[in-house]
Amino acid sequence: MLAVLHRIIHFPGPQEMEELGRGFVRLAGHNAFKKAAGAIDGCHIRIRPPGGQQKQCYINRNSATSTETVLHQQKQCYINRKLFPSIILQGICDSTGKFLDIYVGNPGSVHDALVLRRCPMYKESLYPPNGFFLLGDGGYPCLQHPVTIITPYRQPVAGRVEGRFNKHHANARCIIERAFGMLKTRWRAIFLRALEINPLFAPKVVATCCILHNLCHATDDILEEEDLGDEDAEAEDMGGDLEQTGNNIRARLAAQLSATEELPACLQEHDYS
């Protein structure tokens, strides 16, 4: 299964970006999101807690085989903020819930922002293309470089412009939560209880389920998710010196959302030049 991972889970080509953006416009309910290229988030996969010296296994869409590193991992490293042992699946999906990229294997205690900075997509600036952006929750930094990720404004928002942006942003971004929900609902025996397997093998099982998810999606075998959502986390400062903030892009999108698209008829009757 992992040998065909890159054929089933892959980034869209240039000719597909316009249609991808139209999908997020439909989700968000506004044309300001026509350059959205995907939604990104992470979810926790319950595992049997390891002990002593452990190998770590990381799976991404480009790896037919896993990348393994030997680390002295203590059991506590896998305990996440909800106090159960897990590994993290970071996923990027399109507007229909199909996975475009996965990166799985980090211990549960690692913050979403740090998982992002470790993944090949971020380190090699693989996606999205120039001029496009990903939609992330508050667990990610708002970035323009090396990858463009637009996040919601932090609560409490400063005014109606920011509040309106957050509402449309949430409507578009929640597709990744629905994708995780469909994944967990379809394979309840894997995702809704601790995986009773070696932690080194767990990322391979998760990656295989993501492959099967896309295959089901391609044949319109859609299973609506149950309410298995996670709480949004606040972004942490991980010291990314080479990063460039995406606040200016977010502000421009927020202004576009609140701008009047067409002047009222009474104003069109006058010449203001």
Side-chain angles (χ1 to χ4, degrees), residues 11-27 33-39 92-98 100 127-129 132-134:
F11 294 130
Q15 70 280 3
E16 302 173 81
M17 298 306 298
E18 186 175 343
E19 176 59 29
L20 185 61
R22 283 196 292 266
F24 281 102
V25 167
R26 289 190 292 269
L27 289 177
F33 289 83
K34 65 182 179 180
K35 294 297 185 180
I92 300 174
C93 75
D94 66 9
S95 62
T96 66
K98 181 181 73 173
L100 306 177
Y127 193 78
F132 292 85
F133 54 86
L134 298 175

Side-chain angles (χ1 to χ4, degrees), residues 10-266:
H10 57 83
F11 294 130
Q15 70 280 3
E16 302 173 81
M17 298 306 298
E18 186 175 343
E19 176 59 29
L20 185 61
R22 283 196 292 266
F24 281 102
V25 167
R26 289 190 292 269
L27 289 177
H30 199 279
N31 199 49
F33 289 83
K34 65 182 179 180
K35 294 297 185 180
I40 184 172
D41 202 358
C43 76
H44 290 271
I45 312 299
R46 292 177 180 266
I47 64 168
R48 181 180 62 188
Q53 181 175 335
Q54 295 287 334
K55 287 185 177 180
Q56 276 189 293
C57 174
Y58 301 98
I59 302 289
N60 66 77
R61 71 178 188 91
N62 290 318
S63 62
T65 58
S66 61
T67 300
E68 301 176 8
T69 58
V70 178
L71 298 173
H72 289 278
Q73 294 289 350
Q74 301 299 322
K75 176 181 177 179
Q76 190 64 28
C77 180
Y78 285 85
I79 304 300
N80 60 38
R81 60 190 176 89
K82 291 196 170 183
L83 304 180
F84 63 83
S86 66
I87 58 172
I88 299 173
L89 164 63
Q90 176 186 276
I92 300 174
C93 75
D94 66 9
S95 62
T96 66
K98 181 181 73 173
F99 288 116
L100 306 177
D101 183 66
I102 60 169
Y103 177 60
V104 55
N106 277 271
S109 64
V110 179
H111 192 274
D112 282 351
L114 183 54
V115 175
L116 169 71
R117 291 180 171 97
R118 289 176 173 178
C119 75
M121 181 273 297
Y122 174 91
K123 292 193 292 186
E124 301 173 27
S125 301
L126 298 177
Y127 193 78
N130 289 334
F132 292 85
F133 54 86
L134 298 175
L135 301 171
D137 65 13
Y140 295 98
C142 189
L143 294 176
Q144 183 175 354
H145 180 81
V147 297
T148 305
I149 300 178
I150 302 303
T151 61
Y153 288 98
R154 290 191 178 187
Q155 299 290 344
V157 295
R160 292 183 179 180
V161 172
E162 293 185 1
R164 187 175 294 112
F165 172 82
N166 280 5
K167 178 181 178 181
H168 287 276
H169 183 283
N171 290 340
R173 187 197 59 80
C174 70
I175 186 61
I176 183 63
E177 296 177 357
R178 290 176 55 196
F180 288 147
M182 287 186 281
L183 189 72
K184 291 184 176 182
T185 300
R186 188 180 297 276
W187 290 285
R188 301 176 65 89
I190 294 177
F191 291 108
L192 297 186
R193 65 182 185 184
L195 280 173
E196 295 293 331
I197 58 177
N198 189 307
L200 182 64
F201 189 60
K204 300 178 182 180
V205 173
V206 176
T208 300
C209 289
C210 292
I211 294 171
L212 293 173
H213 169 90
N214 274 18
L215 291 175
C216 292
H217 183 280
T219 57
D220 294 323
D221 182 6
I222 305 299
L223 182 66
E224 285 302 318
E225 82 283 4
E226 296 180 3
D227 186 12
L228 303 169
D230 195 8
E231 300 175 359
D232 289 348
E234 289 296 324
E236 293 182 0
D237 182 8
M238 299 295 179
D241 296 335
L242 300 178
E243 292 179 340
Q244 182 178 347
T245 179
N247 290 344
N248 57 332
I249 298 177
R250 181 171 60 186
R252 188 164 63 247
L253 291 172
Q256 185 178 348
L257 275 165
S258 295
T260 303
E261 295 186 357
E262 184 176 354
L263 287 174
C266 61

